Amino acid sequence: MPPPSTSAPDVSRSRATDSRFRCIACGDASDTATRDFRCPHCGDLLEIVYPAWSPSPAIPGSGPAATVASELKSTWQQRRLSLDPVDLSGVWRFRELLPFVSDDAVITLREGNTPLYDLPHCARITGVPRLFAKHQGLNPTGSFKDTGMTVAATFARLAGFRWVACASTGNTSASMAAYAARGGLRSLVLVPEGKISWSKLSQSLDYGAVTCQLRTDFDGCLRLLQELVLRAPVYQLNSINPFRLEGQKTLALELLEQLDWQPPDHIIVPGGNLGNSSAIGKALLEMRALGLISRLPKLSVIQAEGANALVRTLRETGGKHLVTVQAETRATAIRIGNPASWKKAVHVLEATGGLCEQVTEIEIAQAKAEIGAEGIGCEPASAVTLAGLKKLVKSGFVKPEESAVLVLTGNLLKDPDFTMEFHRGDLFKHSVIKDSGDGDSSAALNSLRRPPIVLDATLDAVIRTLKQAEK
Ligand code: F0G
């Protein structure tokens, strides 16, 4: 490792990043990590840091930081014209801000490169005209997990592991199985039985993972995995693994590039195990330190009311101690009661000035249908962002003249059961979660429902239906 310097990375030295692991609690730094990615001294989580960047005097618009920032921006822009697989990846295109690896070691499915959409319909509903969606559901396996998995799977293979493993609510496992298959690795998936969608489960089967449905919840799966990695030679690919978060940082880089490096006022992200919010926040802080942006967007996290560990942690302990919950929500991707990265998330919320809010099942269902009505669609966990934005506008935290970006984390096709049940009016029928009976929300839901219509195969029947729909 070259000695630390006080300047930002030198982009003329290609792939000059030089990273270390650092404990988020005691600050102990090391070149290697233990198998469970926990600090050997205090047991807390590790993060990846780049000593060559810090202390980094962020002097936006002038001096060496500004030169480096503009060089980085132009390098990343130029790579858009390249046909090299690492340049075609929307993650590795930003490799100066990732741990170093040689190009030929990278496992990639051309992840990232996801669109930023405007949301005119949702903008009208929320009263926030400058409203956008960064659709991470358009990644190769249909969720944001791919951006982290390309990095972590690459490092798993480099470390010489044959097996990778994760606990999952379905998207991590789908992504891990795909990247393992691409990289010639075997994969072991631990998912809670009956609590993840068939679409996600079918992905890990098709990609060849050994898939175990455990009679527990996600938190139970993760607990078991953490014991397993200490006993068996498997490399853990949950977001406790800090390489995952480095890859997921690129969402923020790509977003800011799409906004011509003009930060939005707000970025709103769903919260489950809290890895993604931590990664986005880390990216924002690094971007500011490197002079890539001059001010920080406020990063806010939205949770389902039935899986609101971070909301309670902040409200009841001021972010000092984790309040765990018995999680229950139809947004199964975020059905998590004991989030591993809660401390990292508290840190980035505090650092960016964002909030944590919770939304009900009805609010999630309504928001999901409203995003669907934009022709975009997402899975239920992603829709918490729109539902949360409505609350943040109501409380005055988001102002109509401000801009906001919703991070849509998963594809609509990830959970077709939820969508079918919603449109058929069955969503809350067999659930422990009941419709609150609130007349207004029921009317709003009904106006969004488009149940499939079974007809005789006659022209008359179809024309009658068309006329009916016109009314
Ligand atoms: N949205 C979707 C679609 C997810 O799959 C997840 C997490 C989240 C949001 C929350 O992200 O955990 O980083 O706060 N899914 C994990 C999984 C837990 O196993 O697929 P987070």
Side-chain angles (χ1 to χ4, degrees):
M1 291 206 170
S5 92
T6 53
S7 62
D10 175 1
V11 289
S12 62
R13 284 192 301 148
S14 78
R15 320 287 281 273
T17 46
D18 195 0
S19 57
R20 302 195 82 194
F21 299 100
R22 186 174 67 191
C23 172
I24 60 165
C26 72
D28 183 64
S30 164
D31 289 336
T32 54
T34 51
R35 292 261 282 278
D36 58 355
F37 289 105
R38 288 197 174 269
C39 173
H41 304 291
C42 73
D44 220 316
L45 296 185
L46 303 180
E47 62 179 349
I48 289 177
V49 291
Y50 302 88
W53 304 359
S54 58
S56 166
I59 320 164
S62 68
T67 314
V68 168
S70 73
E71 275 181 49
L72 283 172
K73 288 174 187 175
S74 111
T75 301
W76 296 336
Q77 188 69 37
Q78 281 162 23
R79 285 187 187 141
R80 283 188 171 281
L81 301 172
S82 161
L83 295 177
D84 190 327
V86 286
D87 292 339
L88 288 168
S89 160
V91 170
W92 296 100
R93 195 160 65 81
F94 299 102
R95 54 193 172 269
E96 283 73 15
L97 303 199
L98 299 176
F100 176 80
V101 65
S102 68
D103 291 0
D104 54 4
V106 165
I107 305 171
T108 175
L109 286 164
R110 319 291 186 266
E111 52 290 318
N113 298 314
T114 59
L116 181 68
Y117 293 122
D118 61 344
L119 295 175
H121 172 63
C122 297
R124 272 194 300 280
I125 295 170
T126 54
V128 179
R130 285 186 296 146
L131 179 61
F132 304 92
K134 176 72 176 152
H135 205 333
Q136 295 298 87
L138 299 182
N139 267 292
T141 76
S143 84
F144 71 97
K145 306 290 180 177
D146 296 341
T147 56
M149 209 53 79
T150 180
V151 177
T154 293
F155 279 91
R157 191 170 66 177
L158 270 181
F161 281 85
R162 275 192 58 230
W163 280 89
V164 291
C166 72
S168 183
T169 55
N171 280 328
T172 299
S173 45
S175 182
M176 178 189 76
Y179 282 84
R182 291 296 294 181
L185 300 166
R186 302 290 314 276
S187 62
L188 173 73
V189 162
L190 307 181
V191 290
E193 193 207 5
K195 301 293 183 193
I196 77 166
S197 88
W198 289 119
S199 307
K200 298 175 186 178
L201 191 65
S202 66
Q203 286 182 285
S204 66
L205 304 182
D206 226 32
Y207 300 139
V210 174
T211 303
C212 305
Q213 297 179 272
L214 303 186
R215 293 188 197 92
T216 178
D217 54 11
F218 168 82
D219 301 302
C221 292
L222 187 56
R223 238 184 340 265
L224 205 141
L225 178 76
Q226 293 207 262
E227 287 170 28
L228 177 76
V229 296
L230 297 175
R231 299 271 294 275
V234 297
Y235 186 88
Q236 85 104 332
L237 281 180
N238 275 93
S239 54
I240 290 171
N241 180 326
F243 288 114
R244 281 268 315 276
L245 302 198
E246 291 308 289
Q248 287 172 212
K249 281 188 333 193
T250 56
L251 176 155
L253 290 160
E254 194 176 82
L255 168 66
L256 265 295
E257 187 185 57
Q258 286 165 323
L259 293 172
D260 200 16
W261 304 100
Q262 299 305 309
D265 296 298
H266 297 273
I267 298 178
I268 302 180
V269 63
N273 214 18
L274 300 172
N276 203 31
S277 37
S278 305
I280 296 169
K282 184 172 192 280
L284 296 174
L285 295 169
E286 288 177 0
M287 275 192 269
R288 192 184 55 174
L290 291 170
L292 289 161
I293 52 174
S294 54
R295 73 184 167 81
L296 288 174
K298 294 188 175 77
L299 179 69
S300 291
V301 173
I302 314 296
Q303 296 196 299
E305 203 173 72
N308 60 353
L310 183 64
V311 175
R312 292 193 51 188
T313 294
L314 289 165
R315 287 187 189 164
E316 294 169 27
T317 78
K320 298 275 183 296
H321 307 285
L322 177 65
V323 178
T324 60
V325 300
Q326 192 63 46
E328 191 52 77
T329 170
R330 280 296 305 261
T332 52
I334 51 173
R335 191 175 178 278
I336 294 171
N338 186 8
S341 294
W342 69 275
K343 269 191 203 167
K344 291 185 180 181
V346 168
H347 169 66
V348 298
L349 289 191
E350 283 172 356
T352 66
L355 293 183
C356 185
E357 187 50 270
Q358 60 186 5
V359 292
T360 66
E361 297 295 303
I362 306 259
E363 288 165 342
I364 296 171
Q366 181 173 344
K368 184 174 125 48
E370 287 163 347
I371 294 167
E374 293 268 16
I376 289 177
C378 63
E379 69 165 284
S382 309
V384 301
T385 54
L386 177 63
L389 173 64
K390 291 179 195 170
K391 290 200 155 168
L392 296 177
V393 171
K394 211 169 176 179
S395 71
F397 181 70
V398 175
K399 300 184 180 52
E401 66 276 16
E402 292 183 320
S403 57
V405 176
L406 309 180
V407 177
L408 303 183
T409 45
N411 195 292
L412 169 70
L413 300 176
K414 284 283 192 173
D415 194 348
D417 285 352
F418 185 103
T419 309
M420 290 305 294
E421 285 179 41
F422 173 80
H423 287 288
R424 288 191 164 132
D426 294 339
L427 190 59
F428 301 108
K429 227 177 188 167
H430 307 293
S431 168
V432 288
I433 300 144
K434 296 285 175 213
D435 189 329
S436 64
D438 168 350
D440 284 354
S441 61
S442 293
L445 290 188
N446 285 338
S447 73
L448 288 161
R449 284 179 46 225
R450 299 284 181 271
I453 304 160
V454 180
L455 293 177
D456 288 334
T458 67
L459 195 55
D460 267 2
V462 176
I463 288 175
R464 248 196 328 274
T465 306
L466 201 56
K467 285 189 175 150
Q468 190 69 27
E470 275 286 344
K471 286 181 191 161

